[in-house]
Amino acid sequence: MNAPADLAQTTATKPISRYPVPELVDLPDDLRERILAVQEKAGFVPNVFLALAHRPAEFRAFFAYHDALMDKETGSLTKADREMIVTATSARNRCLYCVVAHGALVRIYSKQPLLADQVAVNHAKADLPARQKAMLDFAMKVCTASDEVGEGDYATLHAHGFDDEDIWDIAAITAFFGLSNRIANVTGMRPNDEFYLMGRVPRQK
Amino acid sequence: MNAPADLAQTTATKPISRYPVPELVDLPDDLRERILAVQEKAGFVPNVFLALAHRPAEFRAFFAYHDALMDKETGSLTKADREMIVTATSARNRCLYCVVAHGALVRIYSKQPLLADQVAVNHAKADLPARQKAMLDFAMKVCTASDEVGEGDYATLHAHGFDDEDIWDIAAITAFFGLSNRIANVTGMRPNDEFYLMGRVPRQK
Amino acid sequence: MNAPADLAQTTATKPISRYPVPELVDLPDDLRERILAVQEKAGFVPNVFLALAHRPAEFRAFFAYHDALMDKETGSLTKADREMIVTATSARNRCLYCVVAHGALVRIYSKQPLLADQVAVNHAKADLPARQKAMLDFAMKVCTASDEVGEGDYATLHAHGFDDEDIWDIAAITAFFGLSNRIANVTGMRPNDEFYLMGRVPRQK
Amino acid sequence: MNAPADLAQTTATKPISRYPVPELVDLPDDLRERILAVQEKAGFVPNVFLALAHRPAEFRAFFAYHDALMDKETGSLTKADREMIVTATSARNRCLYCVVAHGALVRIYSKQPLLADQVAVNHAKADLPARQKAMLDFAMKVCTASDEVGEGDYATLHAHGFDDEDIWDIAAITAFFGLSNRIANVTGMRPNDEFYLMGRVPRQK
Amino acid sequence: MNAPADLAQTTATKPISRYPVPELVDLPDDLRERILAVQEKAGFVPNVFLALAHRPAEFRAFFAYHDALMDKETGSLTKADREMIVTATSARNRCLYCVVAHGALVRIYSKQPLLADQVAVNHAKADLPARQKAMLDFAMKVCTASDEVGEGDYATLHAHGFDDEDIWDIAAITAFFGLSNRIANVTGMRPNDEFYLMGRVPRQK
Amino acid sequence: MNAPADLAQTTATKPISRYPVPELVDLPDDLRERILAVQEKAGFVPNVFLALAHRPAEFRAFFAYHDALMDKETGSLTKADREMIVTATSARNRCLYCVVAHGALVRIYSKQPLLADQVAVNHAKADLPARQKAMLDFAMKVCTASDEVGEGDYATLHAHGFDDEDIWDIAAITAFFGLSNRIANVTGMRPNDEFYLMGRVPRQK
């Protein structure tokens, strides 16, 4: 059995973060439980959990916000849509952690193994219908020029079938991962090696 | 007595948000209690509480994050320092709500009635010592080019007496309000009229 | 009675300009008279008069240009319109002096105490009709990309009721204060403390 | 004899300005005299005189400012230096009138027929000593980012032998022609054909 | 046996290029031979060969230039270095074809399966020594601001052990793929599906 | 008789390139022949031939590409059109060599002695019909934002009578000279003095 602490050691041959990464045993119970749960599910502990555990209060708020946006069960955005928003805007912010980790999730949710790389480089050239391109156009505007967002943007998205709540979702996901990108860039958060290959090849049986 | 719902009505002659603003009676208890508490303290309900109440799960995560960063009791950043970071970077993102609301807090915490306007326009020209200017230089870099942050930035800030935890604080405050700016810009969040004058004139006795 | 020289002394505890500021007695008569007249009217001497008095020939040309544009009695631009153009474009150029000084004039002429701060941060979110927003959109384009101005811009403004002479006015005001912004930024021209509060509260009787 | 009005007619086969250009006979005396004087000296009337004559008060202020900066007899900037500042920054603002007209003056004052084109495209590649390149570096910063000018810029220029008054000159010339560029761009001011060839070939005897 | 024409058909279910893609049989002999040779070596025909075959003269010049820079046997740049330059600068130009195709080559030549994604997102965060980061810093400057390249850049690269000929190589590779990026972006050149997975997993035996 | 080597000596009083410039006698035959041919035709050797001769393989590919695009005999672009594309985009890239050398060719092919300077500063103000302005608008977009080129751009150009092959030509010329600009900027390639005056005055008989 791989204990989480061991895993952290292993992947930490290159540092996970510029800041200290706590040992699992030293963490508050709720953080440790969340980390063990994600390890159980993913097979490894994504480094964002370990890096942010340095600040438990921020860890809790960060993942509460994350879950409110990414696990939300209403609205028309699919899980793949949400992860594409993260991947496209994180590439614009040049955040290695988020492009690699959320690119993996784009591949898994979309079942399109090429899509994440396309979205990260240039969503206009991705294998996507017009609706998703409009969604990503808007996300990029929120990312780079939110001060210029206006009724014209709402009208464009309405024409593609997004309602106001969907638009809030697109904007809030972009805004939240803009936060994440800045923290990852400043702390030098390192994506786990496991993410790079996830969803690229059919699972071994 | 001014009931919060009344206040909301009054200030809502111009809309607080492009999105529906719930009635206090319809809110979950914890949101209502937080809103009543802030009203008790401030004398009015800042519109960010009402606008975000449209999404209770996001409201909770937002204010948990806010409190973790802005009410944090360790580190060398003063409350005025934190509010200056918010004001300078929000001006860069052209977010009316945050410049006006947090500019008020800059004035109150710094007891310098001119400082917020200076920081919002050009922190290099503000009545600030070199330490605070370096802090704001770094915040602006995190705001606009976090991908270029590196060890040189850490060294510059260390030379001004900031330690690594302070630097995390500066970056995280910038990142969090970058999120806030984007949501406020997209939802058209309106600052309360009360903020504009706060801290500009000596209190009436 | 406060002699102007005294006033200059008082406000000069923090330097008005990186360059020498002449004594009133040493100035050419026409400059001294203009300065005394503005003091009589405003109750203090705006620092731009003292800072530019270092160069009398430029002082004369500067205020002649200023008056030609800002005291012009023809055309459809109100005094508040003109000051809003100054405030919005000076904020874009991050000129502390002009945002603070002309923001005060926006408040006074418009009698809207919140308007200057709104225009300085993001005119698209200001309490303004579409006509004024179109005016400021154009001013911002002249400020940042005058090389791209073309007939399409004229047509947009015509549709809002501006004629060609109004458009010249908008462009020339933007251009003139772009000059002013650059000089103020390079000389570190300091806005008088008095400007910050002007027009925010009802006058004392 | 070529009367100025005739000249205006001739060059006006392509419009000088998007705005009405007055007849010389209709102008106030001082404007007409200035125009006749420049025609006498140059052999033709530069279109900026005719285009700005549409607004006599602005014409007077414009040329008073121009003369204060460009005919100033103190300081270490040569006439060629001043015209290079105009040419380099006007190229950055993509102002056809000023690049063509002041490029001609660069050639004439410097007696280097290649210099204006070099400065307009990329002053770093021009046949200039380090002093002039530092001067133009600073002018370009005033042109594009005056909010970032600080003591470091003063120190750099001092090291090249410029004093504070020279630095004011560089900044003020840049600022004034930034005004000129914006007005020329918006009015579509057309450079006289004569400018293009001036100073390129030895004078006929 | 897979005939090249068949392969082209297969991958062309989504168009390779916005422009007509010729049949192999219709190509000049030298183009067909080059294409058959690359297919023999790679196991498939990279779409850039088919897309550019629409213009045989440009095809020949393009690949002659490519080979002169990428197959050059002198200098200190490794094949992995050259492909990293392509990948980093193509990501900056948001060219899907080049990031995907040359990212594959980065993985193959460097034998580091994570390196291409790191370089594409943010080379400053890649698992690279300082020498390679300086190389990519310079390539990015050539890509985005070649007009500002000067002796300081040469000195920085010399300090990392690059000589003038290496610097020409870095610049020329960046410049050539800047050409390639623009053509690929305008023609909508589609990367072959095969590239995405190349070099990510150990070869099957 | 002026031998080419002599010419090189003469113009090399200021260096042609930061890199070594080979003697004609040391060059491979094909390079020497091309250089002698161009000297025969132009009366002098444009420095790009001498500077690139430092790298014979790149020289060959460069001029093969050049000829494929600039001597192409099909399509609706005139020689003047092609040279205007080069001049406008090279000015945007601030490449002295290409603006000066190809500006000369604009003058010669268009027989409009003012056109090159107009196009270099601001093509929107040039004496050109709408068709050529649309062509240059597109070239500028390919130069600065090729990732945003899409079907809308094709439609705009079709409306001006350009077909898809013309559009490839515009894009490829822009892309090729973007390469040329970067190499010239990095190597400090110096335009020959002869170019500056070419096409400005009627030929001597």
Side-chain angles (χ1 to χ4, degrees), chain F:
Chain F
M1 193 199 96
N2 276 326
D6 292 339
L7 250 175
Q9 287 310 113
T10 313
T11 61
T13 51
K14 280 165 188 153
I16 283 174
S17 163
R18 197 190 176 288
Y19 285 83
V21 174
E23 297 293 319
L24 269 188
V25 293
D26 299 330
L27 285 178
D29 288 351
D30 60 326
L31 272 65
R32 189 171 50 244
E33 280 162 26
R34 170 119 198 192
I35 289 173
L36 290 170
V38 72
Q39 190 197 24
E40 176 90 9
K41 186 175 171 193
F44 65 99
V45 183
N47 288 337
V48 64
F49 290 91
L50 301 173
L52 292 186
H54 177 58
R55 296 265 184 122
E58 296 170 41
F59 177 108
R60 291 181 190 107
F62 183 93
F63 289 107
Y65 220 134
H66 174 280
D67 296 351
L69 295 170
M70 301 305 275
D71 298 344
K72 182 166 171 284
E73 298 194 347
T74 55
S76 79
L77 300 189
T78 65
K79 279 192 176 291
D81 286 344
R82 294 171 209 210
E83 298 294 343
M84 284 196 285
I85 294 167
V86 181
T87 302
T89 58
S90 297
R92 175 62 185 71
N93 288 330
R94 303 186 73 215
C95 174
L96 182 62
Y97 187 88
C98 294
V99 173
V100 170
H102 292 273
L105 297 176
V106 168
R107 289 189 294 270
I108 288 170
Y109 290 130
S110 71
K111 301 193 198 317
Q112 289 182 251
L114 313 186
L115 188 56
D117 292 346
Q118 294 170 348
V119 164
V121 179
N122 189 342
H123 70 271
K125 307 293 189 188
D127 293 328
L128 287 172
R131 173 183 162 97
Q132 265 73 16
K133 289 187 181 176
M135 176 187 80
L136 294 175
D137 285 344
F138 178 67
M140 293 300 253
K141 184 169 183 178
V142 173
C143 178
T144 60
S146 68
D147 58 306
E148 296 175 8
V149 169
E151 286 305 309
D153 299 296
Y154 278 89
T156 299
L157 291 166
H158 290 163
H160 284 283
F162 296 103
D163 67 17
D164 282 1
E165 295 304 318
D166 294 329
I167 294 171
W168 177 304
D169 286 343
I170 301 169
I173 292 168
T174 301
F176 176 74
F177 283 93
L179 176 161
S180 181
N181 296 163
R182 284 170 177 79
I183 292 175
N185 274 339
V186 172
T187 63
M189 197 184 291
R190 181 180 174 82
N192 306 59
D193 292 2
E194 288 87 343
F195 284 124
Y196 290 81
L197 201 56
M198 282 172 63
R200 293 191 185 272
V201 283
R203 290 193 175 222
Q204 311 289 338
K205 313 234 169 145

Side-chain angles (χ1 to χ4, degrees), chain A residues 65 69 138 142-143 146-147 149 154 167-177 179, chain B residues 16-19 48 51-53 55 58-59 62 93 95-98 176-190, chain C residues 125:
Chain A
Y65 219 134
L69 295 170
F138 178 67
V142 173
C143 179
S146 68
D147 59 306
V149 169
Y154 277 88
I167 295 171
W168 176 305
D169 286 343
I170 301 169
I173 291 168
T174 301
F176 176 74
F177 282 93
L179 176 161
Chain B
I16 284 174
S17 164
R18 198 190 176 286
Y19 284 83
V48 64
L52 292 187
R55 295 263 184 125
E58 295 170 43
F59 177 107
F62 183 93
N93 288 331
C95 173
L96 181 63
Y97 188 89
C98 294
F176 176 73
F177 283 93
L179 175 161
S180 181
N181 296 162
R182 285 170 176 79
I183 291 175
N185 275 339
V186 172
T187 63
M189 198 183 291
R190 181 180 174 82
Chain C
K125 306 293 189 190

Side-chain angles (χ1 to χ4, degrees), chain B residues 26-121:
Chain B
D26 299 330
L27 287 177
D29 288 351
D30 61 326
L31 271 67
R32 190 171 51 243
E33 280 162 26
R34 171 118 197 192
I35 290 173
L36 289 170
V38 72
Q39 189 198 25
E40 175 90 10
K41 186 173 171 194
F44 66 98
V45 182
N47 289 337
V48 64
F49 290 91
L50 300 173
L52 292 187
H54 177 57
R55 295 263 184 125
E58 295 170 43
F59 177 107
R60 290 181 191 108
F62 183 93
F63 288 107
Y65 220 134
H66 174 279
D67 296 350
L69 295 170
M70 302 305 275
D71 298 343
K72 182 168 172 280
E73 298 194 346
T74 56
S76 79
L77 301 189
T78 65
K79 278 191 175 295
D81 286 344
R82 293 172 208 208
E83 297 296 342
M84 284 195 286
I85 294 167
V86 181
T87 302
T89 58
S90 297
R92 175 61 185 71
N93 288 331
R94 303 186 73 216
C95 173
L96 181 63
Y97 188 89
C98 294
V99 173
V100 170
H102 292 273
L105 297 176
V106 167
R107 289 189 293 272
I108 288 170
Y109 290 130
S110 71
K111 300 194 198 320
Q112 288 183 251
L114 313 185
L115 188 56
D117 292 345
Q118 294 170 347
V119 164
V121 179

Side-chain angles (χ1 to χ4, degrees), chain E residues 32-199:
Chain E
R32 190 171 50 245
E33 281 162 25
R34 170 114 197 195
I35 290 174
L36 289 171
V38 71
Q39 188 198 24
E40 174 90 10
K41 187 174 170 193
F44 65 99
V45 183
N47 288 337
V48 64
F49 290 91
L50 301 174
L52 293 186
H54 177 58
R55 296 265 184 122
E58 296 170 42
F59 177 108
R60 289 181 191 107
F62 183 93
F63 288 107
Y65 220 135
H66 174 280
D67 296 351
L69 295 170
M70 302 304 275
D71 298 343
K72 182 168 171 281
E73 298 195 345
T74 56
S76 79
L77 300 190
T78 65
K79 279 192 174 292
D81 287 344
R82 294 172 208 211
E83 298 296 342
M84 283 195 287
I85 294 166
V86 181
T87 301
T89 58
S90 297
R92 176 61 184 72
N93 288 331
R94 301 185 76 216
C95 174
L96 183 62
Y97 187 89
C98 295
V99 173
V100 169
H102 292 274
L105 297 175
V106 167
R107 288 188 294 270
I108 288 169
Y109 289 130
S110 71
K111 300 194 199 320
Q112 288 182 252
L114 313 186
L115 189 55
D117 292 344
Q118 294 170 348
V119 164
V121 179
N122 189 340
H123 70 272
K125 306 293 188 189
D127 294 327
L128 287 172
R131 174 182 161 96
Q132 266 73 16
K133 288 187 182 177
M135 176 187 80
L136 295 175
D137 285 345
F138 178 67
M140 292 300 254
K141 185 169 182 179
V142 174
C143 177
T144 61
S146 68
D147 57 306
E148 297 176 7
V149 169
E151 285 306 309
D153 299 297
Y154 277 89
T156 299
L157 290 167
H158 290 164
H160 284 283
F162 296 102
D163 67 17
D164 281 2
E165 295 303 319
D166 294 330
I167 294 170
W168 177 304
D169 287 343
I170 301 169
I173 292 168
T174 301
F176 176 73
F177 283 92
L179 175 160
S180 180
N181 296 162
R182 284 170 176 79
I183 292 175
N185 274 339
V186 172
T187 63
M189 199 183 290
R190 181 180 175 82
N192 305 59
D193 293 1
E194 289 87 343
F195 283 124
Y196 289 81
L197 200 57
M198 281 171 63

Side-chain angles (χ1 to χ4, degrees), chain A residues 127-196:
Chain A
D127 294 327
L128 287 173
R131 174 183 162 97
Q132 264 73 16
K133 289 187 181 177
M135 176 187 79
L136 294 175
D137 285 345
F138 178 67
M140 293 300 253
K141 185 169 183 180
V142 173
C143 179
T144 60
S146 68
D147 59 306
E148 296 176 7
V149 169
E151 286 306 309
D153 299 296
Y154 277 88
T156 299
L157 291 167
H158 290 164
H160 283 284
F162 295 103
D163 66 17
D164 282 1
E165 296 302 318
D166 294 329
I167 295 171
W168 176 305
D169 286 343
I170 301 169
I173 291 168
T174 301
F176 176 74
F177 282 93
L179 176 161
S180 180
N181 296 162
R182 285 170 175 78
I183 292 175
N185 274 339
V186 172
T187 63
M189 199 183 291
R190 181 178 174 82
N192 305 59
D193 292 1
E194 288 87 343
F195 284 123
Y196 289 81

